């Protein structure tokens, strides 16, 4: 299975299964525009972690560690993300402007470690 990440504001294009992995619905995007297969907000970072991180690059390393710890406690939600894709391509969608440091990047790495 190929797992990619993409901003929800980018046009859908050969994305396979599209799963929004943010806790909050992204501003300015309609459900029709999003073309989602699923919105699994339970797999997103906790409100406490998300607020603490606040997309501060200096907190990235600790955010990753804390988020992975949370993911280990969310087996059902993580499994639901993988079930949406089956053996197909999976695109994890997020709203953050930073394409390299966001929850979808961490989740992709975590999922890849679970399926290898």
């Amino acid at each position: 299975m190929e797992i990619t990440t993409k901003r929800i504001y980018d046009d859908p294009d050969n994305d396979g299964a599209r799963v929004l992995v943010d806790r909050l619905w992204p501003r300015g995007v309609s459900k029709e525009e999003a073309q989602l297969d699923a919105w699994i907000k339970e797999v997103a970072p906790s409100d406490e972690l998300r607020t603490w991180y606040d997309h501060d690059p200096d907190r990235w390393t600790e955010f990753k560690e804390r988020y992975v710890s949370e993911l280990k406690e969310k087996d059902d939600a993580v499994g639901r993300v993988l079930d949406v894709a089956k053996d197909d391509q999976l695109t994890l969608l997020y709203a953050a402007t930073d394409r390299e440091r966001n929850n979808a990047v961490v989740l992709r790495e975590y999922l890849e470690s679970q399926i290898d």
Side-chain angles (χ1 to χ4, degrees):
M1 171 187 316
E2 180 183 353
I3 303 173
T4 59
T5 61
K6 188 177 201 177
R7 287 193 78 217
I8 194 158
Y9 302 104
D10 296 338
D11 291 332
D13 182 38
N14 299 319
D15 291 337
R18 292 171 50 89
V19 179
L20 177 61
V21 294
D22 283 349
R23 187 167 300 279
L24 305 173
W25 186 262
R27 293 180 190 189
V29 177
S30 72
K31 294 195 188 239
E32 294 78 28
E33 291 171 323
Q35 298 181 27
L36 297 181
D37 291 287
W39 176 21
I40 305 176
K41 54 185 152 187
E42 299 82 8
V43 80
S46 65
D47 286 334
E48 175 184 85
L49 180 56
R50 182 178 53 82
T51 303
W52 171 83
Y53 174 49
D54 196 30
H55 300 284
D56 179 346
D58 293 335
R59 295 182 176 176
W60 173 243
T61 301
E62 186 174 348
F63 170 78
K64 285 179 19 177
E65 293 169 3
R66 291 172 63 179
Y67 183 34
V68 167
S69 292
E70 287 187 2
L71 288 170
K72 290 177 180 177
E73 302 296 319
K74 299 178 179 185
D75 288 340
D76 289 344
V78 169
R80 287 182 23 228
V81 172
L82 291 172
D83 287 346
V84 171
K86 306 274 189 264
D87 295 323
D88 196 8
Q89 180 178 351
L90 172 62
T91 300
L92 304 175
L93 300 167
Y94 61 93
T97 57
D98 189 334
R99 294 178 184 270
E100 296 175 14
R101 291 181 295 268
N102 61 69
N103 64 300
V105 170
V106 179
L107 179 58
R108 182 192 71 226
E109 292 172 4
Y110 183 77
L111 292 173
E112 288 172 344
S113 76
Q114 299 301 299
I115 58 176
D116 286 342

